[in-house]
């Protein structure tokens, strides 16, 4: 049955999608299908190939290709006549994205979004690319030429294309095989080797690793800070601090409103690609918190507070979760919301203050982006923070009058798990109840909306309504990490029980036969390959996040199966961590935790008891990478680490343990901090 029609004269199948990205394409003249059997059945019936377009709402070049090609009636007519067109939001369907990004990289040597892939009706890819312009440009064919060439080949050389598709699909199924490192796992050698390897690509002048474009290495910084905390590694400290400071002072950080952009197009972190993602800011919030916890850096504290405030103010949803992203574009231009000229600063602040602000923020008449505007950097602290705060407030008031970037307000389980963990920790470490309350509210939304009655997880929701895509490994693992942090911060054992249930889902539905885990569940939709990617990308790999959960669960329960599972996962990725540590930061951080721990703090006391709260705050200040925290009332505790713990002279008490051997209990925070 044909759906309702829109201005392009084709069925509007995307108008009710959960994904804002799909909804952005709902009124294209292209006859889009969402991913699903209906699209492939149509391709079989019409005997045409499938054109798969994958992107996301904050993707600048996705918008460009949409405007140039998908909104063009002639291009749409060509697509509709010769293909079944399928539109996928990579954030909603990371499994589909992972499979066909693997094909794109294998076939072209590179990848990116928008991703454009031609498939047989069996889903096998035979041609792949990314952005194609509307006219031939710089040796690149136009999108229309690509469509025409594929159509001609489909009609005249079908067998050849189908053979290519089968070969590529076979390759995709084989590359996911994981081979564990033979023999034992030397954690000290693994982490030390990774630090040496990272030093080879470290940018001594500007921080970060490699050249432009530079992405925030949040998981690597976490690994390096853990190495400092465990072994006092000066090389690790230098790389982490230089990188974190350079990002904080650059244009990649919003010097007015807080929060980080997706990446920097230059090596100095000055000119960002302006989209702001939930996952980046959650991960970086944790990184700056841990830098501040390690050495008390005022810069680290300021950036942590600014990032936490950004998450709540800009990405918080009415239902209590966190939206996925803010767009890079506003008013038709990338970064228009964020950049300034000297004249705009003088108009806003007056000649003297405006000129001083331009000098402080690095705003020049030449500019560093289009139209002579500049991003704001803060290479040195202002002479007076009170005056600076007043200037920032006035500029924010003016900026709020500009057209705002669009917001992708779908709630993604994995990324909300990252935000929950970061904000819960920020609430305790920074002593700000707002952050912990926001984490708790998001946790409750995930329980109420994303968890099903059977204990499985939905990946996305919007406006409090769950979407259809099933959760993938990173959703279960990152959310379990968030729930474990909520347990540590509140002592509410329900959060521990929920994390434990999610972990059972992982081991029961995602495990392979080699000690690792697939990214999709055994009962998930069957694709041409079952993805199993051990590498960190913009977010931690699902496998490394699972290992982190297992390390924490081992510390809290003493169940050796958890430690064995974490070690098996690390053995599987040890080769990657040694050869390409930039893509294994999360796993290397887990290795530091295993090498250090388990270290456990068990805190008992009445609920809301002031002494217990003070001990919990002190426990969160400890920097041991292998630390886990359990807290609760001695009468109602449900976590084995709290068993047989008693109050001391009627007062809340903390038991510091290392490898399940405990010191005498203490009742004062300073005693715990000396542990």
């Amino acid at each position: 049955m044909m759906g309702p029609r829109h201005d392009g004269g084709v069925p509007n199948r995307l108008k009710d999608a959960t994904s804002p990205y799909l909804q952005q394409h709902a009124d294209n003249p292209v006859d889009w299908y969402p991913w699903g059997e209906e699209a492939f059945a149509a391709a079989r019936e019409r005997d045409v190939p499938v054109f798969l377009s994958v992107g996301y709402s904050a993707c600048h070049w996705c918008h460009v290709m949409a405007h140039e090609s998908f909104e063009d009636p002639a291009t749409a007519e060509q697509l509709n006549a010769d293909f079944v067109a399928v539109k996928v939001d990579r954030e909603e369907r990371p499994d589909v994205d992972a499979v066909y990004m693997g094909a794109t990289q294998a076939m072209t040597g590179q990848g990116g979004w928008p991703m454009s892939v031609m498939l047989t009706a069996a889903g096998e890819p035979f041609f792949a690319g990314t952005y194609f312009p509307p006219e031939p440009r710089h040796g690149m064919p136009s999108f229309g030429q690509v469509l025409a060439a594929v159509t001609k080949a489909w009609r005249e050389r079908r067998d050849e294309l189908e053979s290519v598709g089968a070969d590529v699909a076979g390759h995709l199924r084989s590359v996911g095989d994981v081979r564990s490192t033979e023999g034992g796992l030397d954690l000290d050698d693994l982490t030390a080797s990774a630090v040496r390897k990272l030093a080879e690509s470290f940018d001594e002048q500007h921080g970060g690793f490699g050249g432009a474009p530079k992405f925030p290495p949040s998981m690597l910084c976490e690994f390096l800070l853990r190495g400092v905390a465990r072994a006092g590694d000066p090389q690790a400290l230098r790389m982490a601090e230089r990188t974190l400071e350079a990002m904080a002072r650059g244009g990649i950080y919003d010097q007015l409103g807080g929060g980080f952009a997706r990446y920097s197009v230059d090596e100095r972190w000055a000119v960002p690609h302006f989209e702001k993602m939930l996952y980046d800011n959650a991960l970086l919030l944790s990184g700056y918190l841990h830098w501040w916890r390690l050495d008390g850096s005022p810069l680290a504290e300021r950036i942590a507070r600014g990032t936490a405030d950004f998450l709540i103010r800009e990405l918080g949803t009415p239902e209590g979760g966190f939206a996925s992203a803010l767009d890079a574009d506003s008013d038709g231009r990338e970064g228009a919301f964020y950049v300034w000229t000297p004249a705009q600063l003088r108009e806003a602040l007056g000649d003297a203050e405006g000129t001083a602000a331009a000098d402080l923020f690095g705003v020049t008449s030449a500019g560093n982006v289009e139209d002579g505007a500049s991003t704001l950097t803060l290479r040195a602290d202002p002479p007076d923070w009170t005056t600076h705060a007043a200037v920032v407030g006035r500029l924010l008031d003016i900026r709020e009058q500009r057209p705002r970037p669009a917001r992708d307000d779908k709630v993604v389980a994995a990324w909300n798990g990252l935000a929950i963990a970061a904000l819960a920790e920020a609430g305790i470490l920074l002593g700000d109840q707002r952050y912990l309350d926001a984490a708790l509210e998001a946790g409750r939304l995930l329980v109420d909306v994303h968890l099903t009655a059977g204990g499985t997880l939905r990946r996305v929701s919007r406006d409090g309504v769950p979407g259809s895509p099933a959760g993938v490994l990173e959703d279960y693992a990152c959310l379990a990490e968030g729930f474990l942090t909520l347990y540590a911060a509140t002592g509410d054992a329900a959060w521990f029980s929920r994390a434990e249930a999610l972990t059972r889902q992982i081991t029961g539905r995602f495990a392979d036969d080699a000690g690792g885990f697939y990214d999709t569940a055994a009962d998930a939709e069957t694709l041409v390959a079952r993805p199993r990617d051990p590498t960190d990308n913009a977010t931690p790999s699902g496998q490394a996040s699972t290992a982190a959960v297992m390390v924490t669960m081992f510390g809290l329960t003493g169940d050796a199966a958890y430690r064995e599972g974490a070690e098996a996962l690390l053995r599987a990725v040890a080769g990657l961590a040694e050869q390409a540590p930039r893509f294994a930061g999360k796993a290397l951080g887990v290795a530091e935790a295993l090498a250090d721990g388990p270290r456990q703090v068990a805190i008992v006391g009445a609920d809301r008891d002031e002494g217990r709260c003070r001990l919990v705050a002190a426990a969160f200040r400890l920097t041991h990478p292998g630390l886990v925290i359990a807290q609760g009332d001695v009468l109602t505790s449900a976590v084995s680490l709290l068993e047989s713990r008693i109050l001391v002279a009627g007062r809340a008490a903390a038991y510091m343990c290392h490898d399940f051997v405990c010191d005498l209990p203490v009742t004062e925070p300073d005693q715990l901090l000396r542990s």
Side-chain angles (χ1 to χ4, degrees), residues 1-296:
M1 179 180 294
M2 300 292 281
R5 293 178 176 269
H6 55 99
D7 293 343
V10 295
N12 189 334
R13 300 181 182 88
L14 305 184
K15 70 180 182 66
D16 295 323
T18 302
S19 162
Y21 176 65
L22 266 58
Q23 289 190 352
Q24 289 169 5
H25 292 270
D27 291 322
N28 291 166
V30 175
D31 183 9
W32 290 115
Y33 285 76
W35 179 270
E37 175 54 29
E38 182 185 4
F40 290 96
R44 289 192 294 270
E45 181 180 348
R46 292 175 51 201
D47 196 27
V48 296
V50 170
F51 168 67
L52 172 65
S53 176
V54 182
Y56 58 103
S57 69
C59 167
H60 172 72
W61 286 102
C62 298
H63 294 315
V64 171
M65 189 168 177
H67 177 68
E68 293 174 341
S69 296
F70 303 146
E71 295 173 10
D72 176 61
T75 304
E77 183 178 3
Q78 186 179 7
L79 256 178
N80 295 341
D82 298 327
F83 298 85
V84 168
V86 175
K87 177 59 72 173
V88 166
D89 181 345
R90 66 173 292 260
E91 298 174 346
E92 188 176 55
R93 291 300 304 263
D95 50 343
V96 173
D97 177 66
V99 168
Y100 293 106
M101 183 56 73
T104 301
Q105 291 170 332
M107 299 170 81
T108 70
Q110 59 187 6
W113 300 275
M115 177 167 57
S116 306
V117 190
M118 307 296 182
L119 316 176
T120 68
E124 296 177 338
F126 60 84
F127 176 87
T130 53
Y131 164 80
F132 292 103
E135 303 294 338
R137 187 184 302 159
H138 307 305
M140 185 184 300
S142 72
F143 186 50
Q145 289 174 325
V146 169
L147 296 179
V150 170
T151 299
K152 185 174 188 293
W154 182 261
R155 291 169 179 167
E156 298 176 1
R157 297 183 287 115
R158 172 84 64 86
D159 290 347
E160 181 181 332
L161 297 187
E162 290 179 338
S163 177
V164 169
D167 287 346
V168 173
H171 168 74
L172 295 174
R173 286 188 285 270
S174 67
V175 295
D177 290 342
V178 176
R179 294 290 179 263
S180 295
T181 300
E182 297 294 333
L185 180 67
D186 191 317
L187 296 170
D188 287 325
D189 281 355
L190 179 65
T191 54
S193 172
V195 171
R196 290 193 298 271
K197 188 76 172 178
L198 288 171
E200 295 174 5
S201 62
F202 180 64
D203 184 338
E204 296 283 355
Q205 185 175 3
H206 304 297
F209 301 90
K214 281 184 174 176
F215 291 79
S218 50
M219 291 156 279
L220 288 180
C221 287
E222 175 66 22
F223 157 60
L224 293 170
L225 291 173
R226 288 185 175 197
V228 176
R230 183 172 73 90
D233 187 336
Q235 189 176 38
L237 179 62
R238 178 175 55 84
M239 290 192 288
E241 287 191 330
R242 181 73 188 99
T243 300
L244 290 166
E245 179 174 2
M247 290 192 298
R249 295 195 179 280
I252 192 173
Y253 180 73
D254 182 353
Q255 302 295 342
L256 299 184
F260 288 84
R262 178 69 193 91
Y263 64 86
S264 175
V265 301
D266 69 318
E267 72 280 358
R268 299 179 67 245
W269 306 100
V271 182
H273 185 48
F274 288 90
E275 63 196 37
K276 287 182 175 180
M277 315 302 293
L278 172 61
Y279 49 75
D280 284 319
N281 284 281
L283 291 164
L284 287 166
L285 171 56
S286 293
Y288 283 93
L289 279 172
H290 295 164
W291 180 24
W292 173 74
R293 182 177 64 185
L294 191 67
D295 70 4

Side-chain angles (χ1 to χ4, degrees), residues 378-456:
L378 196 65
R379 301 299 182 186
D381 287 350
D384 181 272
W385 281 107
T386 301
T387 301
H388 181 72
V391 168
V392 166
R394 289 156 66 188
L395 293 178
L396 278 173
D397 288 342
I398 293 171
R399 195 174 81 172
E400 283 301 309
Q401 300 171 26
R402 299 174 175 179
R404 292 187 61 85
R407 187 171 87 156
D408 184 332
D409 56 0
K410 70 177 179 294
V411 172
V412 176
W415 307 347
N416 272 256
L418 296 173
I420 288 166
L423 284 166
E425 192 170 21
I428 302 298
L429 279 173
L430 301 176
D432 194 323
Q433 187 64 34
R434 293 180 305 129
Y435 302 152
L436 180 55
D437 288 345
L440 285 164
E441 192 173 3
R444 287 189 285 266
L445 175 72
L446 270 292
V447 170
D448 293 342
V449 174
H450 286 246
L451 277 175
T452 70
T456 60

Side-chain angles (χ1 to χ4, degrees), residues 26 112 114 125 173 212 270 309 340 353 373 399 428 476 571 595 598 604 629:
R173 286 188 285 270
D309 290 340
W340 298 79
E353 277 193 292
R399 195 174 81 172
I428 302 298
Y476 285 85
R571 280 194 295 272
V604 290
I629 299 170

Side-chain angles (χ1 to χ4, degrees), residues 334-380:
E334 183 182 356
F337 184 71
Y338 300 102
V339 298
W340 298 79
T341 64
Q344 289 173 328
L345 291 176
R346 289 193 298 270
E347 181 182 356
L349 302 170
D351 286 346
E353 277 193 292
T355 299
D359 290 342
L360 183 66
F361 286 124
V363 176
T364 66
S365 57
N368 61 6
V369 296
E370 62 183 23
D371 299 329
S374 296
T375 57
L376 302 188
T377 60
L378 196 65
R379 301 299 182 186

